[in-house]
Amino acid sequence: MPHPLLEKHRATLESALDAIATRGYWSAFPEMPSPKLYGEAAPDEGKRAFEAHLGKPFELGQPGQTGWHGGESSPYGVALDVRYPVCDPETLIAAGLEAMKGWQAAGADGRTGICLEILQRLNKQSFEIAHAVMMTTGQGWMMAFQAGGPHAQDRGLEAVTYAWREQSFVPAETTWEKPQGKNPALVMKKHFQIVGRGVGLVIGCGTFPTWNTYPGLFAALATGNAVIVKAHSNAILPAAITVRTIRTVLAENGIDPNLVSLCVATQRSVTQALATHPAVQSVDFTGSNVFGQWLIDNCRQAQVYAELAGVNNIVIDSTDSYKAMLGNLAFTLSLYSGQMCTTSQAIFVPAGGIDTEDGHKSYDEVCADLARAVERFLSKPEVAHAVLGAIQSADTAERIDIANSGALGKVVLASQKLDNPEFPGAKVRTPVLLACDAADEKAYMEERFGPISFIVKVADTAAGIALSERVVRTHGALTVGLYSTRQDVIDAMTEATWRGKVALSINLTGGVFVNQSAAFSDYHGTGGNPSANASYSDSAFVANRFRVVQRRYHV
Amino acid sequence: MPHPLLEKHRATLESALDAIATRGYWSAFPEMPSPKLYGEAAPDEGKRAFEAHLGKPFELGQPGQTGWHGGESSPYGVALDVRYPVCDPETLIAAGLEAMKGWQAAGADGRTGICLEILQRLNKQSFEIAHAVMMTTGQGWMMAFQAGGPHAQDRGLEAVTYAWREQSFVPAETTWEKPQGKNPALVMKKHFQIVGRGVGLVIGCGTFPTWNTYPGLFAALATGNAVIVKAHSNAILPAAITVRTIRTVLAENGIDPNLVSLCVATQRSVTQALATHPAVQSVDFTGSNVFGQWLIDNCRQAQVYAELAGVNNIVIDSTDSYKAMLGNLAFTLSLYSGQMCTTSQAIFVPAGGIDTEDGHKSYDEVCADLARAVERFLSKPEVAHAVLGAIQSADTAERIDIANSGALGKVVLASQKLDNPEFPGAKVRTPVLLACDAADEKAYMEERFGPISFIVKVADTAAGIALSERVVRTHGALTVGLYSTRQDVIDAMTEATWRGKVALSINLTGGVFVNQSAAFSDYHGTGGNPSANASYSDSAFVANRFRVVQRRYHV
């Protein structure tokens, strides 16, 4: 008998299985924050649910609690004052390991069914989570809803689907019957038990606390592991809401809720001790190179899935849609003030300029036109605030100031501070565009997270492609783009991305942007360059998170 | 159009796919060295082919050759005097990377078809390879044929099959069509290219130069990587024959043969430099903990799949087939003089003895009866030589001498030197059985590779199960066994193996042995305890060996 929750969600699972096999367009959770889709009361209820958290302790009922900690500072300047349980990490680990017994016994179908139920419940909380994401990360409302809610849920479902597929390949039992010529066959019964590897630690980031957390969380969970979510210190609330819902659904289904817990650490040393604990068998991390590399170097007992920094870039060779290209790039550079791991930082333009349907454009014209396109796109304040959101961290604000000062290159477009009438305390900055030479590698060849981009003058298109490849191979990139009307250029860039192992978007001029990655279709990261050692989501992201233990005997 | 070699071998692939899904009995390559199966001329031709290698340089046509090196010493005392090309590792790496382009272009179906053809050609060489394995490793003839030939080929095919399945899940292309309400849908064409990660280094062992090498070799190869086979210094010939055949089949099919090369290193530092080379993206290793751990610690640029040492063990609680149990254990302890990574080293017997159908047997009786069973089994010289083979390394011989001296425990059965009339120079040793207390952990709780086993006196069955689990978790094991007539004991041991993540064989009294692992049915290793960080073969063994690089554009 399959688990009742697997039966309940079987249609979703079947569609998701079809989606990962074909990788066309598919989504389980509606991306529009529409009352028609989510219920007339959903927007208000979600807002009230979010507001009900503010200024209060966030109860989770976890074991080993030693105190409370909060202190998130909203980029919108809104007071949050939520406090979260601080629990002894050893107690969380021990409780998680204990809970794994029942989770293992639930089998892949029980685990999958329960994970699907959790995701559906999280989807119903999309408005609440969207407000929490918006207010902790500084994302604009629409992005906070989409990326923080349904898109994150889709990524979680994608991981569950891959995990289910891999686990479903392991038969529970078999009869092994080896012929022995004229003698009776040798016959054995064999059982194959899927066991989780231990505790999965999932370390969230400050900008996408659900989108970048759900894949690792659900991949580890669905494959039989306990999970501890270590949220970013400034984006705890979305993780706390998620963990509470997971614990509720687990308990409803007879699973010890301590299988999944939230870790709020006041010191980095706590996270480090957790990450290197012998019981922790996987670490999912999104964030800086410094801590990511520390994890890779030190968590020798665990498989580390890390998404780190990179230098995403675009080569512009030529276009037959100059204005549309500029508009597309303007949106990409502005969205969430460039605080996405997929935002383009370096744009390689030939010194001799580019051919367009509007005639030849010199390098300087391209710089000026792109600056103007960004300015024009952000000229309406309501559009600007909706797209830009707010600056998540003081470090990013400082980087913008440095770029604005001209220290990194000629300022083609200066970043401006905007006042958000709805949130007077919001830190809003428009993008800064810099022009520099290919030789100024120190300027553009390290990640400068935030709305800071370089229009880099390269000798010609071939040099731009070669430079793009070198940047990808040495510094990493999650995305690269190309604009060209020439097939030989497209082919050369394609081959460069095969060597550099990076996803390529070609001639984006419409409603798709290089920094967007759609669950069930786009692989986010390849795992093949320094920006990430794994991809969301593929077989490799799940297959190593469980083990098969067999027993055999004669019958 | 699928690749013609995929079409040629499609029936084999389909059967293999079915086998990995059901994990019942299946084998592609006949295990009996029978002229009826392999052709009347095959035995003689194979022997002559082997003999033709002796005393000669083994030409491979690899680039960067700087000299010749050989020096294998046969455990049977037979002169080999084969010399192999020593090639500059940087040249082999560069040539391998260059060859990857054409290999990538062949696609998963081309790669799979060519790998299947290679395996079929290797199968036709089974007699030649068996002689090479026997004479370099000291295995008896039947084991050398089966484990060195068809069983190794089956393991290679198993890896190719998993690799094919995972790669076949990645669609070559898709059309992504996202509805936009009343507006026209967003439509993109996307291509997904499978790319190998780089050079796969496969480091062979001295005892099973094909069985332990083929899984990693074929997993890396089938997923689009170049492969360098670094053979064990005393078992080069089986690897050299394999590499030559692979290179021949590659060239026949228009693939640059430098995709796969043999590395003969005269110094460990050469292997170390190779293993830590940035272009080397995977390392498959079977061997000692010392070098294995060095690889895990130092090959940070690569995924390391390591099979290391362990302390395989058996708990005896009770039996209803005492004689058959002893006979089964006698075979296990004698086979290839215990020089298998799966041979049981520690046998846990309750101090109060065990219940059998022949009455209660005291601990001392069990020791004496097992010693007698081994003696009796080896009493016929022709059986003894066929089963024992010869001692592969001087280190193993030395370990036997130490055990024989009584330094590690009370000698219940002393190892004896036997003369092999067919091979006067063969180093033949019978097993040594020692009795010791559970407290004598220093004696039995580290791997003592070779025919050295301990009958360890434990307080009771529960203590034996707990000790087994502790040994598995701290020192690792590829196999554990249990003899018991009581279901509660079987259940307790089963749960212990879930925690320790080790394969369990229960009540083996017939023609299956705890140290045997059948391709397509038994997972060899779980990857979940210190004896191995990966399993032959499962999805995790292949899924992380390739990357998917996408490109997308509007249509």
Side-chain angles (χ1 to χ4, degrees):
Chain A
M1 278 286 293
H3 193 280
L5 287 177
L6 191 71
E7 286 310 304
K8 176 181 173 188
H9 298 290
R10 187 169 287 281
T12 301
L13 181 61
E14 295 292 343
S15 297
L17 283 165
D18 182 62
I20 64 170
T22 57
R23 305 239 20 135
Y25 172 77
W26 187 74
S27 169
F29 303 109
E31 70 176 1
M32 295 311 290
S34 154
K36 283 185 191 156
L37 296 163
Y38 281 89
E40 291 301 325
D44 283 350
E45 284 176 6
K47 187 144 197 255
R48 279 202 303 275
F50 161 69
E51 288 167 348
H53 298 306
L54 304 185
K56 295 208 188 73
F58 194 105
E59 296 280 359
L60 277 167
Q62 296 184 170
Q65 188 170 344
T66 57
W68 296 93
H69 181 73
E72 292 154 295
S73 160
S74 172
Y76 283 104
V78 171
L80 298 171
D81 295 327
V82 192
R83 280 150 290 146
Y84 307 92
V86 177
C87 299
D88 171 49
E90 289 285 349
T91 306
L92 294 182
I93 287 172
L97 291 175
E98 180 63 27
M100 277 177 65
K101 289 181 196 172
W103 194 229
Q104 176 183 314
D109 70 339
R111 291 192 295 271
T112 303
I114 292 170
C115 285
L116 291 167
E117 176 71 13
I118 291 168
L119 286 161
Q120 192 186 68
R121 299 276 278 273
L122 289 172
N123 180 248
K124 292 194 173 139
Q125 293 176 278
S126 290
F127 283 89
E128 175 189 358
I129 290 171
H131 286 287
V133 168
M134 179 178 177
M135 287 306 147
T136 53
T137 66
Q139 291 179 17
W141 165 251
M142 186 59 88
M143 173 183 268
F145 184 88
Q146 295 187 336
H151 291 178
Q153 295 145 17
D154 272 341
R155 281 288 178 196
L157 175 58
E158 189 182 25
V160 171
T161 308
Y162 276 97
W164 163 257
R165 189 170 72 178
E166 288 305 335
Q167 291 177 93
S168 70
F169 289 144
V170 180
E173 55 181 56
T174 198
T175 301
W176 179 86
E177 190 165 346
K178 182 175 180 179
Q180 297 292 296
K182 290 167 190 167
N183 297 318
L186 287 171
V187 186
M188 301 201 87
K189 182 87 181 173
K190 302 186 183 187
H191 298 261
F192 304 101
Q193 179 76 28
I194 292 174
V195 297
R197 298 188 66 172
V199 174
L201 175 65
V202 182
I203 303 176
C205 65
T207 45
F208 290 89
T210 57
W211 198 93
N212 277 101
T213 295
Y214 285 7
L217 195 174
F218 282 97
L221 192 58
T223 49
N225 301 281
V227 175
I228 295 178
V229 178
K230 162 64 186 73
H232 186 278
S233 60
N234 204 57
I236 305 173
L237 187 54
I241 296 170
T242 301
V243 168
R244 185 192 272 175
T245 298
I246 294 175
R247 291 172 62 89
T248 301
V249 177
L250 290 173
E252 284 173 9
N253 288 280
I255 304 293
D256 180 347
N258 291 332
L259 186 69
V260 177
S261 59
L262 179 76
C263 171
V264 176
T266 52
Q267 293 169 307
R268 173 149 290 190
S269 60
V270 173
T271 309
Q272 291 176 325
L274 197 50
T276 53
H277 194 286
V280 170
Q281 291 288 302
S282 66
V283 178
D284 286 85
F285 172 77
T286 310
S288 74
N289 278 4
V290 175
F291 192 49
Q293 199 55 51
W294 186 93
L295 291 168
I296 291 171
D297 287 344
N298 289 278
C299 304
R300 316 305 299 279
Q301 88 293 353
Q303 189 76 23
V304 177
Y305 303 86
E307 187 188 312
L308 310 173
V311 177
N312 304 309
N313 57 77
I314 295 174
V315 175
I316 304 183
D317 164 73
S318 53
T319 179
D320 58 11
S321 308
Y322 188 57
K323 267 197 184 150
M325 175 187 87
L326 295 173
N328 187 282
L329 291 175
F331 182 84
T332 289
L333 300 181
S334 302
L335 186 63
Y336 188 27
S337 296
Q339 298 169 105
M340 299 174 69
C341 51
T342 48
T343 302
S344 313
Q345 175 175 306
I347 300 169
F348 300 124
V349 177
I354 63 169
D355 287 330
T356 80
E357 84 286 10
D358 192 28
H360 191 82
K361 304 288 179 185
S362 72
Y363 169 82
D364 288 337
E365 285 174 305
V366 173
C367 291
D369 291 343
L370 182 56
R372 218 165 2 241
V374 173
E375 271 185 326
R376 195 174 306 130
F377 175 63
L378 298 175
S379 58
K380 285 189 189 165
E382 63 274 24
V383 172
H385 290 298
V387 171
L388 292 170
I391 299 298
Q392 187 261 338
S393 83
D395 288 347
T396 300
E398 194 183 333
R399 277 190 294 268
I400 296 169
D401 291 341
I402 292 169
N404 249 4
S405 75
L408 301 176
K410 183 185 156 198
V411 178
V412 174
L413 176 69
S415 172
Q416 297 190 313
K417 295 186 185 184
L418 300 186
D419 290 324
N420 185 327
E422 197 183 346
F423 300 103
K427 304 175 198 100
V428 185
R429 299 281 188 289
T430 63
V432 48
L433 270 184
L434 305 167
C436 73
D437 242 44
D440 301 335
E441 297 192 359
K442 280 195 182 160
Y444 66 85
M445 220 185 269
E446 68 173 79
E447 187 182 67
R448 300 189 184 276
F449 194 76
I452 302 158
S453 297
F454 297 82
I455 307 174
V456 180
K457 190 191 284 184
V458 295
D460 53 23
T461 295
I465 292 173
L467 184 54
S468 168
E469 180 181 344
R470 183 157 65 85
V471 167
V472 171
R473 294 175 77 143
T474 54
H475 298 274
L478 290 173
T479 62
V480 300
L482 171 70
Y483 290 91
S484 180
T485 57
R486 298 191 294 157
Q487 191 58 44
D488 60 324
V489 169
I490 294 173
D491 292 345
M493 186 74 177
T494 297
E495 290 185 18
T497 61
W498 291 345
R499 292 187 296 267
K501 303 187 183 68
V502 62
L504 171 63
S505 293
I506 303 165
N507 293 328
L508 297 188
T509 52
V512 175
F513 305 92
V514 69
N515 50 338
Q516 288 179 332
S517 172
F520 293 104
S521 183
D522 295 313
Y523 296 94
H524 176 72
T526 69
N529 70 55
S531 67
N533 71 358
S535 175
Y536 305 157
S537 271
D538 60 8
S539 300
F541 192 63
V542 301
N544 211 14
R545 295 182 192 255
F546 65 90
R547 292 297 179 228
V548 179
V549 178
Q550 68 173 66
R551 63 186 190 278
R552 59 183 184 176
Y553 49 87
H554 284 289
V555 282
Chain B
M1 278 285 293
H3 193 281
L5 287 177
L6 191 70
E7 286 310 303
K8 176 182 173 187
H9 298 291
R10 188 169 285 282
T12 300
L13 181 60
E14 295 293 343
S15 298
L17 284 165
D18 182 61
I20 64 170
T22 57
R23 306 243 12 141
Y25 172 77
W26 187 73
S27 169
F29 303 109
E31 70 177 1
M32 295 309 291
S34 152
K36 282 184 191 156
L37 295 164
Y38 281 89
E40 289 301 325
D44 283 352
E45 284 176 6
K47 186 144 199 250
R48 280 202 302 277
F50 161 71
E51 287 167 349
H53 298 306
L54 305 185
K56 296 208 188 72
F58 193 105
E59 295 280 0
L60 277 167
Q62 295 184 170
Q65 187 169 347
T66 58
W68 295 94
H69 181 72
E72 292 154 297
S73 160
S74 172
Y76 284 103
V78 171
L80 299 171
D81 296 328
V82 191
R83 280 151 290 146
Y84 307 93
V86 176
C87 299
D88 172 49
E90 289 286 349
T91 307
L92 294 181
I93 287 171
L97 292 175
E98 180 65 28
M100 277 176 65
K101 290 181 195 173
W103 194 229
Q104 176 183 315
D109 71 338
R111 291 192 295 272
T112 303
I114 291 169
C115 284
L116 291 167
E117 176 71 13
I118 290 167
L119 285 161
Q120 190 186 70
R121 299 276 277 272
L122 289 172
N123 180 248
K124 291 195 173 137
Q125 292 177 278
S126 292
F127 283 89
E128 175 188 358
I129 290 171
H131 285 289
V133 168
M134 180 179 177
M135 286 306 146
T136 53
T137 66
Q139 291 179 18
W141 165 252
M142 186 60 87
M143 172 183 269
F145 185 87
Q146 295 187 335
H151 291 177
Q153 295 145 18
D154 273 340
R155 282 287 179 196
L157 175 59
E158 190 182 24
V160 170
T161 308
Y162 275 97
W164 163 257
R165 190 169 71 179
E166 288 305 334
Q167 292 177 91
S168 70
F169 290 145
V170 180
E173 55 181 56
T174 198
T175 300
W176 179 87
E177 190 164 345
K178 182 176 181 177
Q180 299 292 296
K182 291 168 190 168
N183 297 317
L186 287 171
V187 185
M188 301 202 86
K189 182 88 180 170
K190 302 187 182 185
H191 298 260
F192 304 101
Q193 179 76 29
I194 292 173
V195 297
R197 298 188 67 171
V199 174
L201 175 65
V202 182
I203 303 176
C205 65
T207 45
F208 289 90
T210 57
W211 197 93
N212 276 101
T213 294
Y214 285 8
L217 195 174
F218 282 97
L221 192 59
T223 50
N225 301 282
V227 175
I228 296 178
V229 179
K230 163 62 184 73
H232 186 277
S233 60
N234 204 57
I236 306 172
L237 186 54
I241 296 170
T242 301
V243 168
R244 185 192 272 173
T245 297
I246 293 174
R247 291 172 63 88
T248 301
V249 177
L250 290 173
E252 283 173 10
N253 288 280
I255 304 293
D256 180 347
N258 291 331
L259 186 69
V260 176
S261 60
L262 180 76
C263 171
V264 176
T266 52
Q267 294 169 307
R268 173 150 289 190
S269 60
V270 173
T271 309
Q272 290 176 326
L274 196 53
T276 53
H277 194 285
V280 170
Q281 292 287 303
S282 65
V283 178
D284 286 85
F285 173 76
T286 310
S288 74
N289 277 3
V290 175
F291 192 48
Q293 200 55 52
W294 187 93
L295 291 168
I296 291 171
D297 287 344
N298 290 278
C299 303
R300 316 305 300 278
Q301 86 293 353
Q303 189 77 23
V304 177
Y305 304 86
E307 186 188 312
L308 310 173
V311 177
N312 304 308
N313 58 76
I314 294 174
V315 175
I316 305 183
D317 164 74
S318 52
T319 180
D320 58 11
S321 307
Y322 188 57
K323 267 198 185 152
M325 175 188 87
L326 294 173
N328 187 281
L329 291 175
F331 182 84
T332 289
L333 300 182
S334 302
L335 185 63
Y336 186 28
S337 298
Q339 298 169 103
M340 298 174 70
C341 50
T342 48
T343 303
S344 313
Q345 176 175 306
I347 300 169
F348 301 125
V349 177
I354 64 170
D355 286 328
T356 80
E357 84 285 10
D358 191 28
H360 191 80
K361 303 288 179 185
S362 71
Y363 169 82
D364 288 338
E365 283 174 306
V366 173
C367 290
D369 291 344
L370 182 56
R372 222 171 351 247
V374 173
E375 271 185 323
R376 196 173 306 130
F377 175 62
L378 298 174
S379 58
K380 285 188 189 166
E382 64 274 22
V383 171
H385 290 299
V387 171
L388 292 170
I391 299 298
Q392 186 262 338
S393 82
D395 289 347
T396 299
E398 196 184 331
R399 278 190 294 268
I400 297 169
D401 290 341
I402 292 169
N404 249 5
S405 75
L408 301 176
K410 183 186 157 199
V411 178
V412 174
L413 176 69
S415 172
Q416 296 190 312
K417 296 186 184 184
L418 301 187
D419 290 325
N420 185 327
E422 198 183 347
F423 300 103
K427 304 176 197 100
V428 185
R429 299 282 189 287
T430 63
V432 48
L433 270 185
L434 303 168
C436 73
D437 241 45
D440 301 336
E441 297 192 359
K442 280 194 183 162
Y444 65 86
M445 221 186 269
E446 69 173 78
E447 186 181 66
R448 300 191 184 275
F449 193 75
I452 303 158
S453 296
F454 296 83
I455 307 174
V456 180
K457 190 192 283 184
V458 294
D460 53 24
T461 295
I465 292 173
L467 184 55
S468 168
E469 181 180 344
R470 182 158 65 87
V471 166
V472 170
R473 294 175 77 142
T474 54
H475 298 273
L478 291 173
T479 62
V480 300
L482 171 70
Y483 289 90
S484 180
T485 56
R486 298 192 292 157
Q487 191 57 45
D488 60 324
V489 169
I490 293 173
D491 291 346
M493 186 73 178
T494 296
E495 290 185 18
T497 61
W498 290 345
R499 293 187 296 266
K501 303 187 183 68
V502 62
L504 171 63
S505 293
I506 303 165
N507 293 328
L508 297 188
T509 51
V512 176
F513 305 92
V514 69
N515 51 337
Q516 287 180 331
S517 171
F520 293 105
S521 182
D522 296 313
Y523 295 95
H524 175 73
T526 69
N529 71 53
S531 67
N533 71 358
S535 175
Y536 303 158
S537 274
D538 60 7
S539 298
F541 192 64
V542 301
N544 211 14
R545 296 183 192 256
F546 65 90
R547 292 297 180 229
V548 179
V549 178
Q550 68 173 67
R551 62 187 191 278
R552 59 183 186 177
Y553 48 87
H554 284 289
V555 282

